[in-house]
Amino acid sequence: MTRATLVGVDIGTSSSKGVLVDRDGRLLRTATREHGVDRPRVGHVEMDAQIWWDELVAIVQELLRAEPDADVVGVGVSGMGPCVLLADDAGTPVRPAILYGVDSRASEQIARLDATLGADAILRRGGSALTSQAAGPKIAWVAEHEPGTYARARRLFMPSSWLAYRLTGAYVLDHHSASQSTPLYDADALAWYAPWVDVVAPDLSLPELVWPADVVGTVTRDAAAQTGLPAGVPVVAGTIDAWTEAVSVDAQNVGDLMLMYATTMFLINTVAERVSTPSMWSTVGAYPGTRCLAGGMATSGAITGWLRDLVGGAPYADLVAEARASGVGAHGLLMLPYFAGERTPIQDPEARGLIAGLTLSHTRGDLYRAALEATAYGVRHNVETILAAGGTVERVVAVGGGTQGALWTQIVSDVTGLEQVVPQQTIGASYGAAYLAATATGDADIGRWNPPASLVRPDPARHATYSELFALYRDAYPATQQLSHRLAEHQRTIEKGTP
């Protein structure tokens, strides 16, 4: 007997994940493919988009082999973003995709567009200031530095929209992703802003705008032959992974704050009306009528992975146990988590990581603890900035692989003083993508799909201690900013081969 199922696939920074769920949201199967990114130069972070398709194909095939009785009735996709994937008229990429805010190559283009269009005007029309997160300056970078490549470009994709295109042939982009394509999108009109498109992205034919849960087409015969999906199955547009994660844990109501624990830490606060501040990103939400104030750190889980590699690939369970034993404050260590620059709220791609207070007595457990605490301080800095800008935080929901093991989430609650709801399913964006497909093809309720499983409460004594240490954290960046910028410049000269 066949069973109606939904497929969700998400393309992340370090892996792609897929889920097969039934109509009630029960997780039947999961599949993962790990991958890396390319860093051809300091500040440049890219990825070959063919990997996205190849991994979707492999994941879907694995899911369907494991559940031969599955009757797939809908497909959802999501992915990291905002990314810039330029393609020709046939949808064939003309260069690797430039990734989201971890790629900081377009500083000169940001400065020039601010001067040409007006920084205040950009903030008013689009909701967000131009930063390394914005897609527009990266398009301008390609036009300036790779004119031959840009001359062949006609279409703009992001991971979710390119997968939807490969599955259905539809050239679309969801409104949320478009709202992170500053300065190309008018956040009040909910449309591309033609005068600035002509300045930033001349000769590109921008995609039709839809909402993430909109059905944009059905699986073509060619896509069916490659993936094993039935031809004719509806496919939804999907959106950027963090917003799909928020969907997956029912964090789309006014006052909700989603914390995504992953390679990078992401925060999304749903607000009653549009709120703008240069320090954060003001975006359209995943559903019509919703608005968000969002932030993202350039590194979080990436630092713990870096540390693990430095100590010979020790098991994460051992490192977490040693970090737990280290205790509050990591025996006097303080880390700034700016190992790839920083996005919100300091918006400084020239920032660099810092480990202060080191002595010969410190252990790898202390370093691991300091890394977890550094990301928690970054969360608190972002939350305080959201509140100062006019956001409201009434409910915090945690999601992502970093919620496993409990230590990281507990440190974040202790540092911020906020309770966190941990839902039953924390697999994240792939599950949210499947849910979007479910809503588009029938009735579905995320509250029933993914109810709360546990609550992380802050400890008052630890919170008091962390508040004192947070003051030191806030002092550390301005005290070392000029030094970090000089070192960033030195790193570029080394890369160019200059003594």
Side-chain angles (χ1 to χ4, degrees):
M1 180 180 297
T2 61
R3 171 164 43 175
T5 59
L6 295 307
V7 168
V9 177
D10 172 66
I11 308 296
T13 308
S14 57
S15 67
S16 298
K17 297 183 177 68
V19 297
L20 186 70
V21 302
D22 68 14
R23 273 289 190 188
D24 295 319
R26 282 187 288 268
L27 193 62
L28 304 177
R29 297 285 176 176
T30 65
T32 301
R33 295 293 185 276
E34 294 186 355
H35 55 238
V37 298
D38 295 323
R39 300 179 185 271
R41 297 178 58 185
V42 172
H44 292 212
V45 188
E46 303 182 347
M47 195 169 178
D48 179 359
Q50 186 61 36
I51 294 172
W52 306 343
W53 177 249
D54 290 345
E55 292 187 346
L56 177 141
V57 168
I59 284 170
V60 171
Q61 289 178 348
E62 179 180 334
L63 294 173
L64 297 183
R65 280 197 305 269
E67 292 288 336
D69 294 331
D71 176 21
V72 178
V73 297
V75 178
V77 290
S78 74
M80 56 189 166
C83 299
V84 171
L85 176 62
L86 298 178
D88 62 18
D89 278 326
T92 303
V94 298
R95 71 174 320 282
I98 300 175
L99 299 198
Y100 52 99
V102 295
D103 183 288
S104 56
R105 74 182 67 197
S107 297
E108 292 181 4
Q109 288 70 32
I110 289 170
R112 184 162 60 252
L113 290 171
D114 276 340
T116 302
L117 306 178
D120 290 341
I122 292 170
L123 184 63
R124 285 195 304 271
R125 184 171 298 280
S128 301
L130 287 183
T131 67
S132 64
Q133 184 77 354
K138 294 173 183 179
I139 297 173
W141 185 93
V142 176
E144 179 177 341
H145 289 271
E146 300 174 359
T149 298
Y150 188 79
R152 296 187 288 122
R154 292 293 180 272
R155 295 184 172 188
L156 170 67
F157 291 99
M158 294 191 191
S160 57
S161 66
W162 198 64
L163 293 181
Y165 174 76
R166 292 295 303 267
L167 287 166
T168 70
Y171 179 43
V172 299
L173 186 68
D174 69 283
H175 280 278
H176 167 72
S177 298
S179 74
Q180 293 211 51
S181 300
T182 315
L184 306 179
Y185 184 82
D186 187 321
D188 288 328
L190 302 180
W192 298 119
Y193 185 57
W196 288 356
V197 170
D198 292 340
V199 172
V200 179
D203 301 322
L204 285 188
S205 175
L206 294 184
E208 176 189 354
L209 294 174
V210 296
W211 290 99
D214 286 349
V215 173
V216 299
T218 59
V219 175
T220 65
R221 291 189 177 185
D222 179 61
Q226 294 186 61
T227 62
L229 290 165
V233 170
V235 179
V236 296
T239 188
I240 289 174
D241 54 6
W243 274 259
T244 321
E245 296 240 12
V247 167
S248 79
V249 294
D250 193 23
Q252 291 288 330
N253 303 304
V254 173
D256 286 348
L257 176 72
M258 184 211 71
L259 292 182
M260 185 178 81
Y261 292 77
T263 306
T264 63
M265 178 74 77
F266 214 91
L267 308 88
I268 301 175
N269 181 216
T270 304
V271 295
E273 57 188 18
R274 195 177 112 177
V275 178
S276 295
T277 172
S279 299
M280 308 297 289
W281 306 313
S282 178
T283 75
V284 172
Y287 294 113
T290 58
R291 300 280 181 168
C292 301
L293 196 59
M297 298 167 63
T299 55
S300 54
I303 302 177
T304 60
W306 169 78
L307 275 172
R308 179 175 179 264
D309 290 341
L310 281 185
V311 297
Y316 277 115
D318 292 351
L319 294 170
V320 169
E322 292 168 20
R324 191 185 303 276
S326 175
V328 173
H331 288 130
L333 288 186
L334 179 70
M335 183 182 292
L336 292 182
Y338 308 149
F339 283 52
E342 187 54 294
R343 295 189 286 171
T344 63
I346 66 171
Q347 303 285 12
D348 184 0
E350 303 287 280
R352 291 296 180 264
L354 173 72
I355 304 174
L358 276 168
T359 72
L360 294 175
S361 65
H362 283 110
T363 67
R364 68 181 189 179
D366 296 328
L367 284 167
Y368 201 86
R369 176 90 186 201
L372 297 179
E373 291 178 345
T375 61
Y377 295 140
V379 170
R380 178 165 172 173
H381 194 182
N382 274 280
V383 169
E384 290 186 354
T385 306
I386 287 172
L387 295 175
T392 58
V393 177
E394 299 172 2
R395 175 175 170 263
V396 181
V397 186
V399 67
T403 59
Q404 306 302 314
L407 179 61
W408 196 2
T409 52
Q410 185 62 59
I411 289 174
V412 169
S413 279
D414 289 341
V415 168
T416 62
L418 297 171
E419 291 185 346
Q420 297 177 77
V421 176
V422 181
Q424 182 174 295
Q425 294 291 348
T426 60
I427 195 169
S430 55
Y431 191 76
Y435 177 74
L436 289 175
T439 64
T441 58
D443 293 330
D445 180 354
I446 195 62
R448 292 198 304 270
W449 269 45
N450 198 13
S454 62
L455 185 66
V456 183
R457 295 184 173 88
D459 178 271
R462 292 195 292 263
H463 177 61
T465 301
Y466 275 130
S467 292
E468 296 176 4
L469 296 172
F470 179 67
L472 299 178
Y473 173 88
R474 291 297 306 274
D475 288 342
Y477 168 66
T480 59
Q481 182 183 24
Q482 290 187 4
L483 175 62
S484 289
H485 288 187
R486 290 171 62 187
L487 288 171
E489 178 61 30
H490 182 60
Q491 290 163 359
R492 284 191 292 273
T493 63
I494 293 172
E495 179 192 63
K496 295 175 183 176
T498 304

